[in-house]
PDB file of all heavy atoms in Angstrom:
ATOM      1  N   ARG A 774     -35.655 -56.579 -42.109  1.00  0.00           N
ATOM      2  CA  ARG A 774     -34.632 -56.294 -41.251  1.00  0.00           C
ATOM      3  C   ARG A 774     -34.678 -55.027 -40.529  1.00  0.00           C
ATOM      4  O   ARG A 774     -35.520 -54.170 -40.975  1.00  0.00           O
ATOM      5  CB  ARG A 774     -33.284 -56.124 -42.142  1.00  0.00           C
ATOM      6  CG  ARG A 774     -32.905 -57.491 -42.839  1.00  0.00           C
ATOM      7  CD  ARG A 774     -31.668 -57.454 -43.685  1.00  0.00           C
ATOM      8  NE  ARG A 774     -31.412 -58.591 -44.484  1.00  0.00           N
ATOM      9  CZ  ARG A 774     -30.858 -59.670 -44.089  1.00  0.00           C
ATOM     10  NH1 ARG A 774     -30.355 -59.812 -42.786  1.00  0.00           N
ATOM     11  NH2 ARG A 774     -30.812 -60.767 -44.872  1.00  0.00           N
ATOM     12  N   ALA A 775     -34.075 -54.905 -39.374  1.00  0.00           N
ATOM     13  CA  ALA A 775     -34.112 -53.695 -38.496  1.00  0.00           C
ATOM     14  C   ALA A 775     -32.670 -53.171 -38.443  1.00  0.00           C
ATOM     15  O   ALA A 775     -31.768 -53.916 -38.186  1.00  0.00           O
ATOM     16  CB  ALA A 775     -34.660 -54.050 -37.152  1.00  0.00           C
ATOM     17  N   TRP A 776     -32.515 -51.993 -38.680  1.00  0.00           N
ATOM     18  CA  TRP A 776     -31.256 -51.289 -38.638  1.00  0.00           C
ATOM     19  C   TRP A 776     -31.134 -50.059 -37.713  1.00  0.00           C
ATOM     20  O   TRP A 776     -32.232 -49.438 -37.528  1.00  0.00           O
ATOM     21  CB  TRP A 776     -30.895 -50.712 -40.090  1.00  0.00           C
ATOM     22  CG  TRP A 776     -31.036 -51.804 -41.235  1.00  0.00           C
ATOM     23  CD1 TRP A 776     -32.157 -52.027 -41.869  1.00  0.00           C
ATOM     24  CD2 TRP A 776     -29.987 -52.726 -41.674  1.00  0.00           C
ATOM     25  NE1 TRP A 776     -31.960 -53.059 -42.825  1.00  0.00           N
ATOM     26  CE2 TRP A 776     -30.643 -53.500 -42.676  1.00  0.00           C
ATOM     27  CE3 TRP A 776     -28.704 -52.860 -41.430  1.00  0.00           C
ATOM     28  CZ2 TRP A 776     -29.954 -54.467 -43.417  1.00  0.00           C
ATOM     29  CZ3 TRP A 776     -27.956 -53.852 -42.066  1.00  0.00           C
ATOM     30  CH2 TRP A 776     -28.702 -54.627 -43.038  1.00  0.00           C
ATOM     31  N   SER A 777     -30.012 -49.827 -37.220  1.00  0.00           N
ATOM     32  CA  SER A 777     -29.670 -48.621 -36.403  1.00  0.00           C
ATOM     33  C   SER A 777     -29.395 -47.579 -37.425  1.00  0.00           C
ATOM     34  O   SER A 777     -28.367 -47.780 -38.201  1.00  0.00           O
ATOM     35  CB  SER A 777     -28.589 -48.811 -35.462  1.00  0.00           C
ATOM     36  OG  SER A 777     -28.061 -47.633 -35.008  1.00  0.00           O
ATOM     37  N   VAL A 778     -30.210 -46.514 -37.411  1.00  0.00           N
ATOM     38  CA  VAL A 778     -29.961 -45.410 -38.460  1.00  0.00           C
ATOM     39  C   VAL A 778     -28.521 -44.779 -38.195  1.00  0.00           C
ATOM     40  O   VAL A 778     -27.823 -44.440 -39.080  1.00  0.00           O
ATOM     41  CB  VAL A 778     -31.072 -44.405 -38.382  1.00  0.00           C
ATOM     42  CG1 VAL A 778     -30.687 -43.119 -39.208  1.00  0.00           C
ATOM     43  CG2 VAL A 778     -32.280 -44.956 -38.860  1.00  0.00           C
ATOM     44  N   ASP A 779     -28.142 -44.535 -36.883  1.00  0.00           N
ATOM     45  CA  ASP A 779     -26.907 -43.966 -36.544  1.00  0.00           C
ATOM     46  C   ASP A 779     -25.702 -44.817 -36.912  1.00  0.00           C
ATOM     47  O   ASP A 779     -24.675 -44.226 -37.404  1.00  0.00           O
ATOM     48  CB  ASP A 779     -26.889 -43.709 -34.977  1.00  0.00           C
ATOM     49  CG  ASP A 779     -27.738 -42.530 -34.617  1.00  0.00           C
ATOM     50  OD1 ASP A 779     -28.146 -41.815 -35.511  1.00  0.00           O
ATOM     51  OD2 ASP A 779     -28.111 -42.446 -33.493  1.00  0.00           O
ATOM     52  N   ARG A 780     -25.772 -46.140 -36.742  1.00  0.00           N
ATOM     53  CA  ARG A 780     -24.680 -47.061 -36.910  1.00  0.00           C
ATOM     54  C   ARG A 780     -24.648 -47.791 -38.182  1.00  0.00           C
ATOM     55  O   ARG A 780     -23.631 -48.396 -38.595  1.00  0.00           O
ATOM     56  CB  ARG A 780     -24.453 -47.878 -35.671  1.00  0.00           C
ATOM     57  CG  ARG A 780     -24.121 -47.217 -34.401  1.00  0.00           C
ATOM     58  CD  ARG A 780     -23.879 -48.097 -33.251  1.00  0.00           C
ATOM     59  NE  ARG A 780     -24.779 -49.143 -33.064  1.00  0.00           N
ATOM     60  CZ  ARG A 780     -25.855 -49.147 -32.316  1.00  0.00           C
ATOM     61  NH1 ARG A 780     -26.156 -48.014 -31.633  1.00  0.00           N
ATOM     62  NH2 ARG A 780     -26.710 -50.175 -32.244  1.00  0.00           N
ATOM     63  N   GLY A 781     -25.802 -47.919 -38.811  1.00  0.00           N
ATOM     64  CA  GLY A 781     -25.959 -48.715 -40.066  1.00  0.00           C
ATOM     65  C   GLY A 781     -25.869 -50.047 -39.762  1.00  0.00           C
ATOM     66  O   GLY A 781     -25.502 -50.896 -40.650  1.00  0.00           O
ATOM     67  N   GLN A 782     -26.146 -50.606 -38.525  1.00  0.00           N
ATOM     68  CA  GLN A 782     -25.940 -52.044 -38.071  1.00  0.00           C
ATOM     69  C   GLN A 782     -27.428 -52.580 -37.774  1.00  0.00           C
ATOM     70  O   GLN A 782     -28.257 -51.775 -37.444  1.00  0.00           O
ATOM     71  CB  GLN A 782     -25.179 -52.179 -36.867  1.00  0.00           C
ATOM     72  CG  GLN A 782     -23.701 -51.763 -37.097  1.00  0.00           C
ATOM     73  CD  GLN A 782     -22.909 -51.597 -35.740  1.00  0.00           C
ATOM     74  OE1 GLN A 782     -23.511 -51.469 -34.779  1.00  0.00           O
ATOM     75  NE2 GLN A 782     -21.536 -51.798 -35.855  1.00  0.00           N
ATOM     76  N   ALA A 783     -27.554 -53.831 -37.804  1.00  0.00           N
ATOM     77  CA  ALA A 783     -28.706 -54.479 -37.465  1.00  0.00           C
ATOM     78  C   ALA A 783     -28.943 -54.421 -35.965  1.00  0.00           C
ATOM     79  O   ALA A 783     -27.973 -54.271 -35.196  1.00  0.00           O
ATOM     80  CB  ALA A 783     -28.592 -56.031 -37.762  1.00  0.00           C
ATOM     81  N   VAL A 784     -30.210 -54.067 -35.562  1.00  0.00           N
ATOM     82  CA  VAL A 784     -30.554 -53.873 -34.161  1.00  0.00           C
ATOM     83  C   VAL A 784     -31.553 -54.885 -33.582  1.00  0.00           C
ATOM     84  O   VAL A 784     -32.116 -55.688 -34.410  1.00  0.00           O
ATOM     85  CB  VAL A 784     -31.037 -52.450 -33.910  1.00  0.00           C
ATOM     86  CG1 VAL A 784     -29.971 -51.487 -34.269  1.00  0.00           C
ATOM     87  CG2 VAL A 784     -32.341 -52.230 -34.663  1.00  0.00           C
ATOM     88  N   ALA A 785     -31.766 -54.978 -32.379  1.00  0.00           N
ATOM     89  CA  ALA A 785     -32.756 -55.928 -31.768  1.00  0.00           C
ATOM     90  C   ALA A 785     -33.675 -55.159 -30.860  1.00  0.00           C
ATOM     91  O   ALA A 785     -33.302 -53.977 -30.395  1.00  0.00           O
ATOM     92  CB  ALA A 785     -31.986 -56.928 -30.948  1.00  0.00           C
ATOM     93  N   GLY A 786     -34.877 -55.654 -30.621  1.00  0.00           N
ATOM     94  CA  GLY A 786     -35.905 -55.069 -29.635  1.00  0.00           C
ATOM     95  C   GLY A 786     -37.224 -54.837 -30.373  1.00  0.00           C
ATOM     96  O   GLY A 786     -37.171 -54.297 -31.462  1.00  0.00           O
ATOM     97  N   GLY A 787     -38.352 -55.088 -29.644  1.00  0.00           N
ATOM     98  CA  GLY A 787     -39.576 -54.605 -30.077  1.00  0.00           C
ATOM     99  C   GLY A 787     -40.233 -55.663 -31.051  1.00  0.00           C
ATOM    100  O   GLY A 787     -39.734 -56.796 -31.322  1.00  0.00           O
ATOM    101  N   LEU A 788     -41.318 -55.142 -31.660  1.00  0.00           N
ATOM    102  CA  LEU A 788     -42.082 -56.020 -32.593  1.00  0.00           C
ATOM    103  C   LEU A 788     -42.030 -55.478 -34.033  1.00  0.00           C
ATOM    104  O   LEU A 788     -41.982 -54.148 -34.110  1.00  0.00           O
ATOM    105  CB  LEU A 788     -43.561 -56.184 -32.150  1.00  0.00           C
ATOM    106  CG  LEU A 788     -43.761 -56.928 -30.824  1.00  0.00           C
ATOM    107  CD1 LEU A 788     -45.318 -56.933 -30.487  1.00  0.00           C
ATOM    108  CD2 LEU A 788     -43.257 -58.314 -31.015  1.00  0.00           C
ATOM    109  N   LEU A 789     -42.080 -56.234 -35.030  1.00  0.00           N
ATOM    110  CA  LEU A 789     -42.052 -55.693 -36.482  1.00  0.00           C
ATOM    111  C   LEU A 789     -43.299 -56.465 -37.108  1.00  0.00           C
ATOM    112  O   LEU A 789     -43.434 -57.678 -36.851  1.00  0.00           O
ATOM    113  CB  LEU A 789     -40.839 -56.156 -37.144  1.00  0.00           C
ATOM    114  CG  LEU A 789     -40.640 -55.845 -38.616  1.00  0.00           C
ATOM    115  CD1 LEU A 789     -40.648 -54.261 -38.885  1.00  0.00           C
ATOM    116  CD2 LEU A 789     -39.363 -56.479 -39.246  1.00  0.00           C
ATOM    117  N   VAL A 790     -44.054 -55.667 -37.930  1.00  0.00           N
ATOM    118  CA  VAL A 790     -45.137 -56.342 -38.605  1.00  0.00           C
ATOM    119  C   VAL A 790     -44.820 -56.269 -40.125  1.00  0.00           C
ATOM    120  O   VAL A 790     -44.413 -55.208 -40.532  1.00  0.00           O
ATOM    121  CB  VAL A 790     -46.499 -55.602 -38.359  1.00  0.00           C
ATOM    122  CG1 VAL A 790     -47.667 -56.290 -39.053  1.00  0.00           C
ATOM    123  CG2 VAL A 790     -46.699 -55.560 -36.846  1.00  0.00           C
ATOM    124  N   THR A 791     -44.909 -57.367 -40.792  1.00  0.00           N
ATOM    125  CA  THR A 791     -44.794 -57.440 -42.135  1.00  0.00           C
ATOM    126  C   THR A 791     -46.020 -57.866 -42.971  1.00  0.00           C
ATOM    127  O   THR A 791     -46.793 -58.749 -42.368  1.00  0.00           O
ATOM    128  CB  THR A 791     -43.522 -58.420 -42.570  1.00  0.00           C
ATOM    129  OG1 THR A 791     -43.840 -59.686 -42.127  1.00  0.00           O
ATOM    130  CG2 THR A 791     -42.305 -57.894 -41.969  1.00  0.00           C
ATOM    131  N   GLY A 792     -46.151 -57.558 -44.201  1.00  0.00           N
ATOM    132  CA  GLY A 792     -47.174 -57.981 -45.077  1.00  0.00           C
ATOM    133  C   GLY A 792     -46.700 -58.951 -46.134  1.00  0.00           C
ATOM    134  O   GLY A 792     -45.576 -58.759 -46.552  1.00  0.00           O
ATOM    135  N   SER A 793     -47.456 -59.809 -46.705  1.00  0.00           N
ATOM    136  CA  SER A 793     -46.984 -60.724 -47.666  1.00  0.00           C
ATOM    137  C   SER A 793     -47.935 -60.966 -48.878  1.00  0.00           C
ATOM    138  O   SER A 793     -49.127 -60.715 -48.791  1.00  0.00           O
ATOM    139  CB  SER A 793     -46.631 -62.076 -47.077  1.00  0.00           C
ATOM    140  OG  SER A 793     -46.297 -63.024 -47.942  1.00  0.00           O
ATOM    141  N   THR A 794     -47.362 -61.500 -49.950  1.00  0.00           N
ATOM    142  CA  THR A 794     -48.312 -61.769 -51.121  1.00  0.00           C
ATOM    143  C   THR A 794     -49.092 -62.994 -50.811  1.00  0.00           C
ATOM    144  O   THR A 794     -50.037 -63.229 -51.669  1.00  0.00           O
ATOM    145  CB  THR A 794     -47.372 -61.976 -52.403  1.00  0.00           C
ATOM    146  OG1 THR A 794     -46.363 -62.977 -52.117  1.00  0.00           O
ATOM    147  CG2 THR A 794     -46.661 -60.684 -52.819  1.00  0.00           C
ATOM    148  N   ASP A 795     -48.779 -63.746 -49.830  1.00  0.00           N
ATOM    149  CA  ASP A 795     -49.530 -64.934 -49.438  1.00  0.00           C
ATOM    150  C   ASP A 795     -50.900 -64.546 -48.671  1.00  0.00           C
ATOM    151  O   ASP A 795     -51.613 -65.386 -48.377  1.00  0.00           O
ATOM    152  CB  ASP A 795     -48.788 -65.994 -48.755  1.00  0.00           C
ATOM    153  CG  ASP A 795     -48.463 -65.518 -47.365  1.00  0.00           C
ATOM    154  OD1 ASP A 795     -48.883 -64.479 -46.823  1.00  0.00           O
ATOM    155  OD2 ASP A 795     -47.729 -66.224 -46.578  1.00  0.00           O
ATOM    156  N   GLY A 796     -51.156 -63.178 -48.510  1.00  0.00           N
ATOM    157  CA  GLY A 796     -52.397 -62.764 -47.888  1.00  0.00           C
ATOM    158  C   GLY A 796     -52.311 -62.603 -46.427  1.00  0.00           C
ATOM    159  O   GLY A 796     -53.257 -62.254 -45.706  1.00  0.00           O
ATOM    160  N   THR A 797     -51.209 -62.994 -45.762  1.00  0.00           N
ATOM    161  CA  THR A 797     -50.968 -62.848 -44.351  1.00  0.00           C
ATOM    162  C   THR A 797     -50.115 -61.659 -43.908  1.00  0.00           C
ATOM    163  O   THR A 797     -49.476 -61.088 -44.823  1.00  0.00           O
ATOM    164  CB  THR A 797     -50.234 -64.017 -43.800  1.00  0.00           C
ATOM    165  OG1 THR A 797     -48.943 -64.195 -44.182  1.00  0.00           O
ATOM    166  CG2 THR A 797     -51.090 -65.455 -44.194  1.00  0.00           C
ATOM    167  N   ALA A 798     -50.265 -61.206 -42.742  1.00  0.00           N
ATOM    168  CA  ALA A 798     -49.259 -60.341 -42.199  1.00  0.00           C
ATOM    169  C   ALA A 798     -48.752 -61.101 -41.018  1.00  0.00           C
ATOM    170  O   ALA A 798     -49.351 -62.005 -40.308  1.00  0.00           O
ATOM    171  CB  ALA A 798     -49.998 -59.066 -41.717  1.00  0.00           C
ATOM    172  N   LYS A 799     -47.499 -60.782 -40.663  1.00  0.00           N
ATOM    173  CA  LYS A 799     -46.869 -61.515 -39.549  1.00  0.00           C
ATOM    174  C   LYS A 799     -46.291 -60.456 -38.538  1.00  0.00           C
ATOM    175  O   LYS A 799     -45.871 -59.477 -39.014  1.00  0.00           O
ATOM    176  CB  LYS A 799     -45.727 -62.462 -39.979  1.00  0.00           C
ATOM    177  CG  LYS A 799     -46.192 -63.654 -40.820  1.00  0.00           C
ATOM    178  CD  LYS A 799     -45.117 -64.599 -41.151  1.00  0.00           C
ATOM    179  CE  LYS A 799     -45.725 -65.723 -41.899  1.00  0.00           C
ATOM    180  NZ  LYS A 799     -46.442 -66.724 -41.113  1.00  0.00           N
ATOM    181  N   VAL A 800     -46.420 -60.813 -37.298  1.00  0.00           N
ATOM    182  CA  VAL A 800     -45.807 -60.039 -36.231  1.00  0.00           C
ATOM    183  C   VAL A 800     -44.484 -60.790 -35.703  1.00  0.00           C
ATOM    184  O   VAL A 800     -44.719 -61.941 -35.334  1.00  0.00           O
ATOM    185  CB  VAL A 800     -46.847 -59.878 -35.108  1.00  0.00           C
ATOM    186  CG1 VAL A 800     -46.285 -58.903 -34.009  1.00  0.00           C
ATOM    187  CG2 VAL A 800     -48.189 -59.266 -35.602  1.00  0.00           C
ATOM    188  N   TRP A 801     -43.461 -60.058 -35.824  1.00  0.00           N
ATOM    189  CA  TRP A 801     -42.171 -60.669 -35.417  1.00  0.00           C
ATOM    190  C   TRP A 801     -41.540 -60.028 -34.122  1.00  0.00           C
ATOM    191  O   TRP A 801     -41.671 -58.877 -33.914  1.00  0.00           O
ATOM    192  CB  TRP A 801     -41.104 -60.503 -36.573  1.00  0.00           C
ATOM    193  CG  TRP A 801     -41.553 -60.911 -37.863  1.00  0.00           C
ATOM    194  CD1 TRP A 801     -42.291 -60.224 -38.883  1.00  0.00           C
ATOM    195  CD2 TRP A 801     -41.218 -62.202 -38.464  1.00  0.00           C
ATOM    196  NE1 TRP A 801     -42.464 -61.056 -39.933  1.00  0.00           N
ATOM    197  CE2 TRP A 801     -41.996 -62.204 -39.671  1.00  0.00           C
ATOM    198  CE3 TRP A 801     -40.610 -63.355 -38.049  1.00  0.00           C
ATOM    199  CZ2 TRP A 801     -41.928 -63.325 -40.545  1.00  0.00           C
ATOM    200  CZ3 TRP A 801     -40.502 -64.438 -38.943  1.00  0.00           C
ATOM    201  CH2 TRP A 801     -41.151 -64.446 -40.158  1.00  0.00           C
ATOM    202  N   GLN A 802     -40.909 -60.979 -33.402  1.00  0.00           N
ATOM    203  CA  GLN A 802     -40.104 -60.358 -32.261  1.00  0.00           C
ATOM    204  C   GLN A 802     -38.619 -60.079 -32.893  1.00  0.00           C
ATOM    205  O   GLN A 802     -38.083 -60.949 -33.367  1.00  0.00           O
ATOM    206  CB  GLN A 802     -39.933 -61.377 -31.145  1.00  0.00           C
ATOM    207  CG  GLN A 802     -41.260 -61.710 -30.493  1.00  0.00           C
ATOM    208  CD  GLN A 802     -41.187 -62.844 -29.459  1.00  0.00           C
ATOM    209  OE1 GLN A 802     -40.355 -63.665 -29.515  1.00  0.00           O
ATOM    210  NE2 GLN A 802     -42.060 -62.771 -28.556  1.00  0.00           N
ATOM    211  N   VAL A 803     -38.381 -58.789 -32.884  1.00  0.00           N
ATOM    212  CA  VAL A 803     -37.243 -58.363 -33.552  1.00  0.00           C
ATOM    213  C   VAL A 803     -35.797 -58.939 -32.970  1.00  0.00           C
ATOM    214  O   VAL A 803     -34.908 -59.327 -33.624  1.00  0.00           O
ATOM    215  CB  VAL A 803     -37.030 -56.890 -33.535  1.00  0.00           C
ATOM    216  CG1 VAL A 803     -35.682 -56.368 -34.106  1.00  0.00           C
ATOM    217  CG2 VAL A 803     -38.182 -56.205 -34.289  1.00  0.00           C
ATOM    218  N   ALA A 804     -35.814 -59.109 -31.573  1.00  0.00           N
ATOM    219  CA  ALA A 804     -34.681 -59.563 -30.877  1.00  0.00           C
ATOM    220  C   ALA A 804     -34.330 -61.021 -31.343  1.00  0.00           C
ATOM    221  O   ALA A 804     -33.197 -61.313 -31.505  1.00  0.00           O
ATOM    222  CB  ALA A 804     -34.836 -59.480 -29.391  1.00  0.00           C
ATOM    223  N   SER A 805     -35.453 -61.894 -31.435  1.00  0.00           N
ATOM    224  CA  SER A 805     -35.116 -63.273 -31.722  1.00  0.00           C
ATOM    225  C   SER A 805     -35.400 -63.593 -33.221  1.00  0.00           C
ATOM    226  O   SER A 805     -34.862 -64.703 -33.639  1.00  0.00           O
ATOM    227  CB  SER A 805     -36.116 -64.154 -30.967  1.00  0.00           C
ATOM    228  OG  SER A 805     -37.429 -63.935 -31.325  1.00  0.00           O
ATOM    229  N   GLY A 806     -36.100 -62.730 -33.860  1.00  0.00           N
ATOM    230  CA  GLY A 806     -36.303 -63.117 -35.372  1.00  0.00           C
ATOM    231  C   GLY A 806     -37.510 -64.055 -35.499  1.00  0.00           C
ATOM    232  O   GLY A 806     -37.730 -64.601 -36.541  1.00  0.00           O
ATOM    233  N   CYS A 807     -38.216 -64.475 -34.297  1.00  0.00           N
ATOM    234  CA  CYS A 807     -39.175 -65.415 -34.354  1.00  0.00           C
ATOM    235  C   CYS A 807     -40.601 -64.757 -34.635  1.00  0.00           C
ATOM    236  O   CYS A 807     -40.858 -63.660 -34.300  1.00  0.00           O
ATOM    237  CB  CYS A 807     -39.287 -66.117 -32.992  1.00  0.00           C
ATOM    238  SG  CYS A 807     -37.854 -67.124 -32.683  1.00  0.00           S
TER     239      CYS A 807
END
Side-chain angles (χ1 to χ4, degrees):
R774 299 186 187 271
W776 307 90
S777 166
V778 173
D779 290 338
R780 296 187 309 271
Q782 300 172 332
V784 297
L788 297 176
L789 174 66
V790 183
T791 62
S793 175
T794 56
D795 69 6
T797 67
K799 291 186 181 289
V800 182
W801 304 87
Q802 295 176 334
V803 175
S805 66
C807 294

